[in-house]
Amino acid sequence: MDIGENEFRDLLFANHKQDLSALIIGRRDAVVWAGDDFPPISVLLQQKAEDKINEILDDIEDLILTGKELPLKKAGDATTRIDLLGESESAGLTIIELKKSKQTERQAFTELLAYANHFCSIFPGLQETTITSILVAPMQTRTVKDAYVQELIVNNKNVIALVPSIENGVIRLSVFYPDKTYYQWYENNLFDDRSMSTVAISFPIIEGWIDSDIKDRDSGMPEYSRSALNTLSNSISHKLDSLGIHALVYASQKWGEIAQIFPFPNTIFVVATNPFSSFRAAVEDGSVYGDTDPVRIQEIQSIYDSLHEDDKEFWLERMESDFHGRLIRIVREEFGLCLLNDENEDIETEISLPDWYGLKTSMIDAVFTHNLDVYLTGLFRSVYMLYITYVYRSGEDPIYYGDDLPKFSYKILREFLPVWEIIRGIGFSDECEA
């Protein structure tokens, strides 16, 4: 670009208040898997992200720019200014931030996210996921690309990036699609068994409320017990989802005869991706290493080297442990809220931290039990739903326990066995005998 940012902004507002989308080029169809076998998670994530980018492009076709250099004022804070503000029925409130240089695009993206947060604070009930954010910038900085993918895929924001240019006096805004390596990184890191932190909270039979099948083995677990345990799992999963934790949650009760042996036959299992897993990043003799992208290792090393010498020891280990400790606290607190009672009695519990792979391959924990509905949060749910969508739309054979595909997909959204087998089949984990 050979004009300044302010001039570029003014040109857009003066000449393209109602047809900004006419300037956009480089749109393409989302990636399509051409292989014979089931597509890898990275391809599903890429397809989801690119579909979302294209949906936003559709939504801004009727965008009308309503303001430029709009001041945002907060008591006690300096005034900041939005480059362009717009709105439409499809895209809703739309914020556009412009930056010409790669040296300033990181600041622009940070400001863009802050502006969305500001609108949520002045319009109670508004969520950032319902605001459309458009970054117009060169998209040459790794940090900005990383942040963009994070907001688009993980945080589910309505955000797109457009690369500006002027050729022969004609303004062009090229759609930025993240490179496929980003999606591969999520596949390799988020869904590996070694990334998982597991919390199991076990508790006794609560007569009349959560009973075992011992009274009538042929009839199985009483329906009211099943409903109660599923409600506990569902509540915990909602809490985790609200906190942005990628997890799967399910309840289990040991079979009637076996349940008599254990004082705590009921268990809620929570399995969550720990972003600080030591297999991805650890320190030895001052050097960071791990099974992850070398560039990211260098970035972690840079942070580590900048720490005060007294704070370096066990820095990564502490963060991994702290996440696990926080997960325990969340599970315990939400469980307690679900079992408040009019007699003010505390339900005795036992917390354990089983290894996820070991749990899946344990006959007692994975087989000789009534395993109830599975509730997925974050990217766990996103990837599972992508799988379900692919199976139903493509006609491919499902990767689960071998029954015919149900007529309607809701039949396998939470049922334990198909969820368990699909998670195994699409690469969340190694083989298990569940």
Side-chain angles (χ1 to χ4, degrees):
M1 289 177 61
D2 54 3
I3 64 173
E5 292 170 7
N6 292 341
E7 185 180 355
F8 184 68
R9 177 200 63 220
D10 293 344
L11 280 174
L12 290 178
F13 190 76
N15 301 324
H16 300 283
K17 288 187 67 173
Q18 298 187 22
D19 68 344
L20 184 73
S21 64
L23 307 178
I24 296 175
I25 62 173
R27 174 175 175 157
R28 59 177 172 79
D29 292 336
V31 65
V32 176
W33 176 244
D36 295 329
D37 54 348
F38 182 76
I41 295 171
S42 59
V43 173
L44 292 178
L45 288 174
Q46 183 177 357
Q47 185 180 61
K48 178 189 177 185
E50 293 179 353
D51 277 337
K52 184 165 186 177
I53 291 172
N54 291 342
E55 288 173 8
I56 296 173
L57 294 175
D58 290 338
D59 288 343
I60 63 174
E61 285 185 358
D62 60 349
L63 179 68
I64 298 175
L65 300 180
T66 54
K68 71 169 184 175
E69 208 174 7
L70 192 74
L72 297 182
K73 298 181 179 179
K74 264 192 173 183
D77 292 335
T79 299
T80 59
R81 298 180 182 274
I82 293 177
D83 284 329
L84 293 169
L85 186 70
E87 62 87 23
S88 73
E89 181 179 348
S90 301
L93 179 67
T94 301
I95 303 170
I96 303 174
E97 185 68 11
L98 308 171
K99 278 295 176 285
K100 174 183 175 181
S101 166
K102 73 175 185 179
Q103 281 78 23
T104 56
E105 64 183 12
R106 180 173 62 179
Q107 176 188 353
F109 193 63
T110 301
E111 292 172 349
L112 185 64
L113 300 177
Y115 295 155
N117 181 268
H118 178 82
F119 274 95
C120 292
S121 69
I122 60 178
F123 293 102
L126 184 65
Q127 295 287 325
E128 289 185 57
T129 51
T130 61
I131 297 174
T132 299
S133 300
I134 302 176
L135 175 65
V136 179
M139 297 303 290
Q140 295 176 356
T141 308
R142 172 69 179 263
T143 303
V144 175
K145 293 178 182 179
D146 286 352
Y148 174 63
V149 174
Q150 174 77 15
E151 296 299 323
L152 184 68
I153 299 176
V154 180
N155 296 336
N156 202 32
K157 301 285 183 64
N158 289 329
V159 57
I160 59 171
L162 304 173
V163 179
S165 63
I166 296 182
E167 298 178 9
N168 300 321
V170 179
I171 297 175
R172 292 286 182 260
L173 302 172
S174 301
V175 183
F176 176 78
Y177 291 96
D179 185 85
K180 65 181 182 180
T181 56
Y182 279 95
Y183 309 102
Q184 186 65 54
W185 183 85
Y186 280 104
E187 176 178 342
N188 292 345
N189 287 273
L190 284 180
F191 304 125
D192 192 294
D193 281 351
R194 294 168 295 177
S195 291
M196 304 304 171
S197 287
T198 305
V199 174
I201 183 166
S202 301
F203 56 101
I205 295 296
I206 305 175
E207 291 189 9
W209 296 94
I210 303 178
D211 292 310
S212 72
D213 63 11
I214 194 65
K215 296 179 180 179
D216 189 350
R217 184 68 177 86
D218 293 335
S219 298
M221 184 193 302
E223 188 57 38
Y224 60 84
S225 299
R226 183 180 297 272
S227 176
L229 290 171
N230 280 335
T231 299
L232 289 170
S233 298
N234 189 28
S235 180
I236 292 172
S237 74
H238 277 300
K239 181 65 175 181
L240 296 172
D241 206 30
S242 71
L243 296 171
I245 296 175
H246 313 291
L248 62 92
V249 185
Y250 67 94
S252 174
Q253 185 186 87
K254 292 179 172 57
W255 288 351
E257 297 83 353
I258 300 175
Q260 304 307 301
I261 303 173
F262 292 86
F264 303 106
N266 301 303
T267 301
I268 308 292
F269 290 102
V270 177
V271 186
T273 295
N274 189 328
F276 307 107
S277 297
S278 56
F279 98 92
R280 288 190 295 182
V283 178
E284 184 174 355
D285 296 329
S287 295
V288 178
Y289 67 96
D291 188 1
T292 191
D293 183 272
V295 175
R296 299 181 192 280
I297 289 293
Q298 293 175 12
E299 292 169 347
I300 297 172
Q301 182 74 60
S302 177
I303 296 173
Y304 175 82
D305 292 341
S306 300
L307 295 174
H308 189 278
E309 202 62 37
D310 293 340
D311 298 322
K312 287 183 177 180
E313 188 175 13
F314 306 121
W315 172 59
L316 287 170
E317 294 90 336
R318 285 198 307 271
M319 288 195 293
E320 180 180 25
S321 176
D322 288 347
F323 178 88
H324 211 155
R326 181 180 178 225
L327 188 64
I328 294 170
R329 186 174 66 255
I330 293 168
V331 172
R332 180 184 283 125
E333 289 177 354
E334 193 64 24
F335 179 87
L337 288 174
C338 291
L339 288 175
L340 295 173
N341 57 82
D342 57 5
E343 296 180 357
N344 201 29
E345 293 180 347
D346 290 331
I347 303 299
E348 188 177 1
T349 61
E350 179 181 78
I351 296 287
S352 59
L353 309 175
D355 172 71
W356 175 224
Y357 179 78
L359 172 66
K360 291 183 299 182
T361 55
S362 165
M363 292 294 286
I364 290 179
D365 290 317
V367 179
F368 297 138
T369 57
H370 298 289
N371 294 308
L372 307 187
D373 290 352
V374 180
Y375 298 87
L376 306 172
T377 74
L379 280 179
F380 275 77
R381 185 179 188 279
S382 294
V383 170
Y384 181 72
M385 294 306 298
L386 289 171
Y387 173 84
I388 295 299
T389 301
Y390 176 84
V391 166
Y392 273 87
R393 290 182 176 173
S394 68
E396 294 287 340
D397 292 333
I399 308 171
Y400 71 107
Y401 58 100
D403 289 351
D404 293 334
L405 195 67
K407 181 175 179 62
F408 295 106
S409 58
Y410 76 85
K411 294 288 290 182
I412 55 174
L413 290 186
R414 293 196 178 98
E415 187 181 347
F416 180 84
L417 195 52
V419 175
W420 185 275
E421 288 297 314
I422 287 170
I423 285 175
R424 182 184 71 174
I426 63 178
F428 276 96
S429 62
D430 295 326
E431 291 294 317
C432 73
E433 300 296 328

